[in-house]
Structures are given as structure tokens and as C-alpha cells.
């Protein structure tokens, strides 16, 4: 299906939704009356238009709504950048590929488990954000600027805790910014990519450790098949049940999840 055809389908579906909403709204505001003697049935009308703002406040409110919608569209990216989601989903993906299972468990299950483990590991940080920023701001005790400063500080502390010095030095040098004297002088735009690079490095190190026992099983099975002269039989077909059995007997999921959670030192 071409992009032009997809665009036409989306526009057509949007028109249908708008028409349905207009018909439903008109039906609620103007209940249908009994048909006239001439047999004509009243039909609702749909009117779409852009009006002129009466005050500058109307324009500011519209811009705020637009900014809020933009921020909501960036929530998945923010989840990837400033939380433990990156490390967790990569490690779980290594487990799936080390065993040799391509579609089991499904990617939706891996992503869902990673999401809930992220909520578990980030709970202390989000609690500080709520207590120090969101709750006082909703109560009207602090301004929006103070709420932003109080909310970004716990997140920055979390990222600093798991950012390696090498990655942070790399991003500072690449940004050509002055060498910071302390953590408070490190810009957030420099801290976030350094944190993501550190998370990738840590996740790959854990993935290598996960791969080793399954690689040993593959080597043993391949050696046995080669010694028996069964060179035409795929070693993967024989080693897969043994790797699954090894993972079950070692209580693999509990070990992997416990290792991932303990890699975040703020988790008891």
C-alpha cells in the first residue's frame, strides 16, 4: 500500500469520525421529531471553522494545549531516555535470543514486563517527583518553574547514579562546553545521552554473561553430533530443548529479573 493511498484512507476515516460526532451531537441537542405530513425527515448539519480569538488568553491557552499534546507524543521517547527501561528490555531480549526462541515469549510480553519492571525500579524517583513537584504545584504552593526544578532534580540524580564517567566525559568533550566543576553544572542535554550510552554498555555486559551458559550447551551438542557423524542434523534442533530445560531448572526468569533489579542499587 502506497503512502498516498494510506493518507487518503486516514483522511476518509477522519471525515467519517467527524461526521459521526457531528450527527451524534446534533441528535442529542435536537431530538428528532415526528416526520411531517410531507414525509421529509430533518437532517443534522455539521459546521467546521476557525474563529478569531477574542483575547490573548485564548491564544495562550491554545498554545498550551498544543504544547501538552506534543509532550504526550514524546512520552515513549522520554521513557526510553531517562529511566531504566533501556537496560531492562535489552537484557530480556538477550535472554530470548540466547535460548534461541524467536517468537516466544512474544515481544509484547517482553515489552510489558520491561515496562512494569521499569515502574518498579523508578518508583522511588517518581515518588520524589510527586511529593516535591507535582503535588505542591497542583495545590498552588509553588510556581511552574519551581515545579520543573523540583521534578528534574530526582531524575538527574538517578541518571548520575548510573552514568559512567567515560561516557559523561565523552559527551562533555563533544558538546564543547566548559568543564563542569560539579554535577549541578552538567547540562541535562549532555547527561541524557551519556546515561543512555552507559545503560547500553551495562546491558550488553549483562547480555554476554547470559549468553555464556547457552553457548556452552550449543558447543557440547555440536561436538556430540559431529562425533556421531550426524552432520546433516541441525544442532539448533537438538540443543533448543536442552537450553529450555537448563533455563527452567536454574529458575532462569527469577535469576535474570533479580540480577536486573539488583543492578539498580536503590532497589532493596
Amino acid at each position: 500500500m502506497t503512502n498516498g493511498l494510506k493518507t487518503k484512507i486516514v483522511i476518509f476515516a477522519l471525515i467519517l469520525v467527524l461526521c459521526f460526532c457531528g450527527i451524534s451531537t446534533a441528535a442529542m441537542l435536537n431530538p428528532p421529531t415526528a416526520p411531517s405530513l410531507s414525509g421529509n425527515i430533518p437532517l443534522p448539519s455539521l459546521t467546521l471553522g476557525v474563529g478569531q480569538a477574542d483575547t490573548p488568553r485564548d491564544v495562550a491557552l491554545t498554545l498550551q494545549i498544543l504544547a501538552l499534546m506534543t509532550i504526550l507524543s514524546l512520552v515513549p521517547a522520554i521513557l526510553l531516555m531517562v529511566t531504566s527501561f533501556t537496560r531492562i528490555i535489552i537484557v530480556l531480549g538477550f535472554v530470548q535470543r540466547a535460548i534461541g526462541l524467536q517468537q516466544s515469549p512474544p515481544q509484547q510480553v517482553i515489552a510489558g514486563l520491561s515496562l512494569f519492571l521499569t515502574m518498579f525500579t523508578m518508583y522511588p524517583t517518581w515518588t520524589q517527583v510527586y511529593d516535591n513537584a507535582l503535588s505542591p504545584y497542583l495545590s498552588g504552593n509553588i510556581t511552574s518553574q519551581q515545579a520543573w526544578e523540583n521534578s528534574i532534580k530526582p531524575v538527574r540524580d538517578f541518571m548520575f547514579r548510573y552514568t559512567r564517567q567515560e561516557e559523561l566525559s565523552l559527551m562533555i568533550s563533544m558538546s564543547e562546553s566548559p568543564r563542569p566543576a560539579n554535577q549541578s553544572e552538567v547540562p541535562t542535554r549532555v547527561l541524557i545521552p551519556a546515561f543512555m550510552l552507559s545503560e547500553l554498555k551495562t546491558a550488553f555486559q549483562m547480555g554476554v554473561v547470559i549468553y555464556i551458559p547457552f553457548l556452552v550447551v550449543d558447543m557440547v551438542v555440536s561436538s556430540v553430533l559431529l562425533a556421531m557423524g550426524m552432520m546433516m542434523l541441525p544442532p539448533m534442533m537438538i540443543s533448543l530443548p536442552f537450553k529450555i530445560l537448563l533455563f527452567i531448572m536454574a529458575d532462569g526468569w527469577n535469576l535474570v529479573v533479580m540480577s536486573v533489579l539488583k543492578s539498580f542499587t536503590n532497589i532493596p
Side-chain angles (χ1 to χ4, degrees):
M1 185 180 295
T2 62
N3 293 332
L5 182 57
K6 291 181 179 179
T7 304
K8 293 179 180 179
I9 293 176
V10 172
I11 294 175
F12 180 71
L14 181 60
I15 293 175
L16 289 180
V17 172
L18 292 175
C19 291
F20 177 77
C21 294
I23 292 173
S24 303
T25 304
M28 289 186 296
L29 296 178
N30 302 312
T33 58
S36 60
L37 295 177
S38 59
N40 295 328
I41 301 177
L43 296 177
S45 61
L46 176 65
T47 302
L48 296 177
V50 178
Q52 183 176 1
D54 297 331
T55 61
R57 183 178 179 84
D58 297 337
V59 180
L61 181 60
T62 303
L63 295 178
Q64 291 177 1
I65 295 175
L66 181 61
L68 179 60
M69 294 178 63
T70 304
I71 293 175
L72 291 177
S73 65
L74 296 176
V75 167
I78 296 174
L79 176 65
L80 291 175
M81 289 187 294
V82 300
T83 65
S84 57
F85 184 82
T86 302
R87 183 191 305 187
I88 295 174
I89 195 170
I90 290 177
V91 171
L92 295 183
F94 267 110
V95 173
Q96 185 183 33
R97 290 169 178 81
I99 298 176
L101 300 174
Q102 301 299 326
Q103 302 295 332
S104 180
Q107 292 298 324
Q108 293 84 351
V109 176
I110 296 295
L113 179 59
S114 303
L115 179 62
F116 282 102
L117 290 178
T118 301
M119 296 171 59
F120 181 82
T121 56
M122 296 298 297
Y123 179 78
T125 302
W126 297 139
T127 300
Q128 295 180 28
V129 172
Y130 179 81
D131 294 339
N132 301 330
L134 182 59
S135 180
Y137 177 71
L138 295 178
S139 302
N141 298 328
I142 60 176
T143 62
S144 58
Q145 181 65 27
Q146 292 174 336
W148 166 253
E149 294 175 356
N150 294 344
S151 61
I152 197 62
K153 186 180 183 304
V155 178
R156 283 173 56 90
D157 292 341
F158 175 83
M159 290 191 289
F160 271 118
R161 191 178 301 117
Y162 304 107
T163 301
R164 299 173 184 267
Q165 186 65 34
E166 296 82 3
E167 281 71 20
L168 186 58
S169 300
L170 171 64
M171 296 309 303
I172 292 176
S173 62
M174 294 299 294
S175 64
E176 298 181 355
S177 58
R179 186 177 182 86
N182 48 50
Q183 292 184 354
S184 60
E185 296 183 2
V186 177
T188 305
R189 63 181 179 86
V190 174
L191 176 60
I192 291 178
F195 169 75
M196 293 189 67
L197 290 175
S198 300
E199 288 294 284
L200 288 173
K201 187 175 182 179
T202 303
F204 272 73
Q205 289 176 348
M206 298 179 68
V208 170
V209 176
I210 292 173
Y211 250 99
I212 291 177
F214 299 106
L215 181 61
V216 172
V217 174
D218 287 333
M219 294 176 61
V220 171
V221 171
S222 299
S223 301
V224 172
L225 293 179
L226 184 61
M228 297 176 62
M230 304 175 64
M231 294 178 293
M232 300 302 295
L233 183 63
M236 185 65 184
M237 183 181 301
I238 305 300
S239 62
L240 180 59
F242 288 100
K243 289 191 290 186
I244 295 177
L245 182 61
L246 174 64
F247 192 72
I248 294 175
M249 293 181 61
D251 201 4
W253 286 116
N254 283 347
L255 290 176
V256 171
V257 172
M258 181 179 63
S259 300
V260 172
L261 294 182
K262 284 187 175 297
S263 64
F264 298 97
T265 55
N266 60 330
I267 302 301

